Every structure is written in C-alpha cells, then in structure tokens.
C-alpha cells in the first residue's frame, strides 16, 4: 500500500482492554430532549463539557459536536479570543464559554455543572516555564523555587485525575480521556511516562471512563508533516532522530474526532455493538465506526473501555521524511540526530491546557 493511501486510512482501535459490565445510569434518559431531524439546527439532548477544545484535536471534536446539535460548555483559561474560531461551529446558544483554572476546583465544577459527558483533551508537548523561580504557592523563591509553570506530571497526571474525580462527584455519566499511544511506564520520554500514569489515575478516579489512545495525528495543522516541511524549508537537511528507523502509524485527526463523537452517542438505543466475547481474529471484528475494529465494551456502551487508534499502516520516520520532501519538492535529505538524554514528546499531543 502506498504511503498516501495508508495515511488516508481510517482510524481503528488496535488493542482491546477488558471493561466492566455497564451499569444502569441516568444516561439512558439524557437524550430525552432530542429535537429536529439530526445534525445542525437540531438538538441532540446531550450536554458536553470539553477541556482542551482549542488544541489540534479539540477543534475537530468540537466541530463534530456542533454538527450533531449538542450543547457544549468549553473550558477556557485564556483570552476569549482564543475560542472565537469555535463559535461558527455551533447554532446560536449551543456553545458556552466558561473561564476556569486547572488549579481552582470550583471553576472546574462550574464548567462541568449540568453536563452529561466530559471530554478531556488537555495536553502539552513541552513544559512551560516562568521567568523567575517560585514556591508552590506562587511566592518568589530563588533558592528552593522552581521555574516550571505547567510540567508534564501536572498536565498529564494531576489535572486529568482531578477532572475525573470532580466529574464522578458531580454525577457525570461518561468521562472520555484522550491519552497517547506512546504511553508507557518505562518510556525514555517523560511525556510518555506521564501519559501512562495519567491514564492510570483517571481509571482509578472514574473506573467507567473511556480512554482513547491515538497515534501521531496528521491533518492541516499537524506537527508531524508540517514540522518536517518547515525544517526542510529552513535547514539544508531535515533532522531525524538517529537513523530514522523508528516506526510511526499516523492517523487522520478527523477520524479520531469522529470516533470520539461516536462514543458520546452510544447509549442504550445506539446501533454500535461491541462485546468482550467477540475479540480475536478478523472474522470476529465488529463494525463500530463504519470500519472493522476491535473494541472492549459491553452492549455497545464502551464504559471502561480503552481504545488505541492508529492508521492501518506503519512507516519509518525516514519514509515519512521522504514523503514530505517529495510532496513539497524540497528534495532534502535527512540528517541523523543522536538522542541526548530524555527523548522529546511525540507529536501527537492532544491539545494545550
């Protein structure tokens, strides 16, 4: 299969995880307010709180929610101008902006209040830093203080755990957490280690949570192909980690967003089916997202499921580099860069805080 054809392949869950039996909750009645023919200018009856909506994946998920007539509350901790591009995705009155801080539990509760579903796509590819070292309470401390503002552990472990805990306390029916396919407790990358422990923390606070683990995302605003193209336009060669033999399995961001939307619409009357008893060979795969897929769940409700989403083919980083070089007519060669210390975060970080 050619690289282009492989990259356009739909996302598919790869490795199932056992899931507890779905319990009866008020989610069965959460869509009782449905109105219209479906899609825009309709009312789905669902109320969803979204954290990390301004990131790469977030804007695609939010757009799909708007297309289904879902009422959405977007948590925003920055300027209101950062969310203005999301407003045209909704009918008037279907999107609300709630200002919050990940370090203020009350503001998080205000964002989640009244919602049936919470989607967390908060993430960071790098640790942000302050100009001067401070103590945990924000006081200037040149000796024992730290310059780290939001570190990997806080963004990828503490914040998801806090959101899951508050969601559980407030009676949210479904919590969807976006992790990373690279999550591994023994990874060289601090990012990947923190994503693993973040998923474990979410599972502890909200056992029925759906955890989505996408591979590296590609799309118009990605940091996979665009980064290589930018480096190729600025430098005489495109940097590659070591010899470029590392494998990637890129997945289109729109496919991952569509999968997440399907998970918000898998109530008792939905047509999606999944059974732990039907795992194994290709002949036992279920049609979940319009594609053949393995997924752990019970009765199509996905509660407690972990889904790994990736493209249908894998490629070496050198193959990806050659593809970008040919597509852009840069005709640049790869320059091997030795790994020094901890490896950088993969390019699939879901969003920003």
């Amino acid at each position: 299969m050619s690289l282009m054809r492989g990259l356009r392949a739909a996302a598919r869950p790869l490795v199932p995880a056992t899931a507890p039996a779905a319990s009866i909750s008020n989610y069965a009645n959460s869509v009782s307010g449905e109105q219209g023919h479906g899609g825009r200018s309709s009312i789905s009856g669902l109320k969803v709180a979204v954290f990390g909506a301004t990131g790469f994946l977030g804007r695609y998920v939010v757009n799909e929610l708007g297309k289904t007539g879902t009422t959405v509350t977007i948590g925003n901790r920055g300027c209101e101008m950062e969310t203005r591009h999301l407003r045209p995705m909704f009918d008037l009155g279907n999107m609300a902006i709630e200002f919050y801080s990940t370090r203020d539990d009350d503001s998080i509760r205000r964002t989640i209040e009244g919602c049936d579903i919470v989607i967390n796509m908060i993430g960071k590819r790098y640790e942000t830093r302050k100009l001067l070292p401070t103590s945990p309470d924000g006081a200037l401390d040149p000796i024992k203080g730290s310059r780290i503002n939001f570190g990997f552990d806080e963004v990828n472990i503490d914040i998801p755990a806090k959101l899951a805990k508050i969601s559980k306390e407030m009676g949210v029916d479904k919590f969807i957490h976006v992790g990373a396919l690279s999550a591994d407790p023994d990874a060289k990358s601090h990012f990947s280690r923190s994503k693993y422990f973040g998923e474990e923390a979410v599972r502890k606070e909200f056992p029925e949570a759906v955890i989505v683990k996408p591979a590296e995302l590609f799309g118009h605003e990605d940091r996979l192909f665009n980064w290589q193209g930018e480096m190729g336009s600025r430098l005489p060669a495109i940097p590659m980690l070591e010899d470029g033999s590392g494998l990637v399995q890129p997945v289109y961001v729109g496919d991952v967003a569509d999968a997440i939307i399907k998970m918000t619409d898998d109530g008792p009357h939905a047509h999606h089916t999944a059974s732990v008893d039907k795992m194994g060979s290709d002949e036992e795969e279920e049609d979940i997202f319009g594609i053949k897929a393995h997924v752990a769940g019970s009765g199509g409700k996905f509660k407690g499921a972990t889904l790994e989403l990736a493209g249908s083919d894998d490629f070496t980083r050198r193959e990806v580099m050659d593809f970008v070089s040919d597509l852009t007519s840069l005709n640049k060669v790869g320059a091997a860069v030795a790994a020094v210390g901890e490896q950088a975060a993969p390019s699939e970080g879901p969003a920003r805080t």
Side-chain angles (χ1 to χ4, degrees):
M1 178 180 290
S2 66
L3 178 59
M4 178 62 78
R5 182 182 176 190
L7 292 175
R8 288 176 175 171
R12 61 185 178 93
L14 299 178
V15 181
T18 56
S23 59
I24 298 176
S25 72
N26 62 348
Y27 182 80
N29 299 319
S30 65
V31 294
S32 58
E34 288 187 55
Q35 296 181 27
H37 53 75
R40 296 196 188 276
S41 300
S42 298
I43 300 176
S44 71
L46 289 177
K47 296 180 180 179
V48 181
V50 181
F51 294 89
T54 57
F56 178 34
L57 174 60
R59 70 190 67 185
Y60 285 83
V61 171
V62 167
N63 182 54
E64 292 301 319
L65 289 170
K67 287 166 62 176
T68 59
T70 299
T71 301
V72 174
T73 300
I74 293 175
N76 179 28
R77 69 181 189 91
C79 173
E80 63 180 5
M81 299 297 284
E82 294 184 10
T83 58
R84 65 179 298 183
H85 64 287
L86 304 177
R87 291 190 179 277
M89 302 176 183
F90 293 85
D91 291 320
L92 186 63
N94 271 8
M95 187 189 91
I97 304 296
E98 186 68 42
F99 291 95
Y100 82 106
S101 169
T102 55
R103 295 166 179 167
D104 180 0
D105 292 5
D106 290 338
S107 66
I108 294 175
R109 289 188 175 92
R110 288 195 299 270
T111 305
I112 296 175
E113 186 176 5
C115 291
D116 308 297
I117 300 170
V118 173
I119 302 175
N120 174 43
M121 294 176 285
I122 292 176
K124 203 70 175 178
R125 295 181 299 122
Y126 54 88
E127 295 182 315
T128 56
R129 296 182 179 273
K130 296 172 284 190
L131 181 62
L132 297 172
T134 60
S135 62
D137 60 2
L140 181 64
D141 188 349
I143 300 176
K144 297 182 180 180
S146 171
R147 288 188 57 219
I148 293 179
N149 185 19
F150 282 97
F152 285 134
D153 289 343
E154 182 177 3
V155 172
N156 295 331
I157 302 175
D158 299 341
I159 292 175
K162 181 184 293 186
L163 294 177
K165 181 180 180 180
I166 293 176
S167 297
K168 192 68 173 179
E169 293 173 350
M170 297 186 68
V172 170
D173 293 296
K174 183 177 294 183
F175 187 87
I176 300 175
H177 171 67
V178 178
L181 192 60
S182 65
D184 188 331
D186 300 318
K188 295 180 180 179
S189 166
H190 188 183
F191 170 89
S192 296
R193 293 196 305 272
S194 65
K195 293 299 284 187
Y196 172 84
F197 291 112
E199 294 168 6
E200 293 293 301
V202 166
R203 186 68 75 202
K204 178 181 178 181
E205 298 291 349
F206 204 121
E208 304 86 3
V210 179
I211 295 178
V212 181
K213 298 160 65 74
E216 297 195 52
L217 303 176
F218 73 91
H220 289 296
E221 313 93 337
D222 68 35
R223 293 184 292 266
L224 177 61
F225 298 137
N226 285 330
W227 181 87
Q228 297 201 39
E230 182 178 358
M231 291 299 101
S233 64
R234 294 184 176 187
L235 302 175
I238 300 177
M240 284 190 311
L241 187 61
E242 297 181 338
D243 61 353
S245 61
L247 295 177
V248 292
Q249 202 165 353
V251 57
Y252 178 55
V253 61
D255 291 334
V256 175
D258 184 60
I260 291 174
I261 296 305
K262 291 295 195 301
M263 292 172 215
T264 68
D265 187 27
D266 67 340
H269 306 295
H271 66 275
H272 311 298
T273 59
S275 172
V276 177
D277 297 330
K278 292 188 176 182
M279 295 292 132
S281 66
D282 292 341
E283 290 74 24
E284 295 175 340
E285 289 180 332
E286 294 287 319
D287 189 340
I288 306 299
F289 306 129
I291 58 173
K292 295 299 180 181
H294 286 304
V295 61
S298 178
K301 297 178 178 58
F302 294 106
K303 288 192 175 180
T306 298
L307 292 90
E308 297 186 346
L309 305 180
S312 58
D313 290 283
D314 52 21
F315 310 93
T316 66
R317 291 196 176 273
R318 179 174 289 278
E319 288 177 324
V320 174
M321 182 213 68
D322 291 339
F323 169 73
V324 173
S325 182
D326 292 342
L327 190 66
T328 57
S329 300
L330 291 172
N331 296 320
K332 296 292 181 69
V333 298
V337 178
V340 179
E342 289 194 342
Q343 292 183 1
S347 58
E348 79 275 8
R352 64 172 183 263
T353 57

